[in-house]
Amino acid sequence: MSKGRKTLTAAFADVVQSRAGFPSYELPDIFAAPNDEGENDAARDLVRLNAEHLVRMFANDRLATFARPLGGGEVVGIDAGLWELDDPLPRFATGAFNVERWTDPGAPLTHRIFVDDAQFDEWLAALKPLGPLTARQVDEIVDPQLRAARVVAARRVNLGQTVKAGSGELHIVASSDPPGVGPMLLSIDEVSELIGRSQSSIYEDEKKGVFPERLKLGSSSRWRKDEVLAWIEEHSAKRGGR
């Protein structure tokens, strides 16, 4: 282990045990278990929720990560942008990645990943248990196609596309924001305009757990743009819009 740092696999095992109750020795079996649309998939998706939460900390530069060549060598910092992943599980399963082909989970592994030990311990100490799942999280666990639709929506945001509701139809239109630029957080007014629904119905559905949860930013609230677009994709698919 690098001084002052712990391996990603060790850090992730601590997170999963504290939030989901899975001991570290069960993680390899959870990762290796075949898809069964049942207990195996449910356990893996609970692990995925924790992986996505930790990835957000890395991608937002809240927790520092580092890489060291598998054969030994200099430890270097990992840029936060290298944590923009559609599916973090392959990287968490191995605790390593390919520096040059970092988006490809099938590329030969070149570097082991570490997390700043002091930062991680402070963050973990303040981390709340996972608690009851929302209706949206439960739906995603039992419906892999729904999870895939949300990943597609997030990818469209990164490509500079968006989805607009209007006249009872849902369709793809060009975004006014150049790729990688523009507001990734939306106000309630912007959410209401984007999905063509009243603010009161948005708040009500959020309370029921069937609409993405807002982020509290001081005295104001914002919604993640990719999560709102994923919600639109989900409803478009249910109505045969794709």
Side-chain angles (χ1 to χ4, degrees):
M1 180 181 300
S2 295
K3 185 177 180 180
R5 305 179 184 95
K6 67 193 310 174
T7 63
L8 176 65
T9 51
F12 186 52
D14 287 346
V15 173
V16 172
Q17 182 160 358
S18 65
R19 299 190 85 209
F22 294 131
S24 59
Y25 63 80
E26 289 186 354
L27 279 178
D29 291 337
I30 291 173
F31 282 122
N35 297 333
D36 63 356
E37 298 185 359
E39 184 177 343
N40 290 347
D41 287 351
R44 190 158 36 246
D45 283 340
L46 283 173
V47 171
R48 185 190 306 277
L49 288 174
N50 286 284
E52 291 173 347
H53 185 69
L54 193 50
V55 158
R56 284 196 291 271
M57 297 300 102
F58 298 154
N60 293 331
D61 219 11
R62 297 274 300 279
L63 293 175
T65 55
F66 306 87
R68 186 181 67 189
L70 293 181
E74 182 183 2
V75 176
V76 296
I78 299 177
D79 187 90
L82 271 61
W83 287 102
E84 297 291 342
L85 305 170
D86 288 339
D87 182 5
L89 282 189
R91 188 176 292 185
F92 279 84
T94 62
F97 75 133
N98 185 300
V99 170
E100 299 297 328
R101 297 164 55 190
W102 61 272
T103 60
D104 181 4
L109 302 176
T110 63
H111 287 66
R112 191 169 305 283
I113 301 171
F114 297 85
V115 181
D116 184 281
D117 205 359
Q119 284 186 351
F120 176 78
D121 284 345
E122 184 174 347
W123 173 77
L124 184 62
L127 188 62
K128 295 180 180 179
L130 186 59
L133 300 179
T134 66
R136 283 175 56 77
Q137 290 171 328
V138 171
D139 287 345
E140 192 168 293
I141 287 173
V142 300
D143 187 350
Q145 187 177 21
L146 173 57
R147 182 175 64 244
R150 291 173 180 169
V151 170
V152 168
R155 188 178 297 119
R156 282 178 170 163
V157 175
N158 292 332
L159 292 175
Q161 298 177 321
T162 188
V163 185
K164 180 74 174 179
S167 304
E169 297 295 332
L170 298 167
H171 54 95
I172 302 296
V173 297
S175 173
S176 58
D177 303 323
V181 179
M184 298 306 294
L185 296 178
L186 305 175
S187 67
I188 182 61
D189 290 337
E190 291 169 326
V191 173
S192 179
E193 180 182 0
L194 180 62
I195 70 174
R197 293 184 56 187
S198 67
Q199 296 183 15
S200 61
S201 68
I202 292 170
Y203 286 125
E204 184 64 28
D205 279 354
E206 183 200 24
K207 184 177 180 181
K208 294 176 182 177
V210 296
F211 191 78
E213 295 182 45
R214 76 191 95 165
L215 302 174
K216 293 291 187 180
L217 302 174
S219 60
S220 62
S221 299
R222 293 291 186 272
W223 277 261
R224 283 185 49 159
K225 186 176 182 180
D226 60 342
E227 292 182 351
V228 175
L229 296 183
W231 178 89
I232 296 175
E233 285 289 304
E234 170 191 345
H235 285 262
S236 178
K238 287 179 179 178
R239 293 166 49 184
R242 291 190 295 154

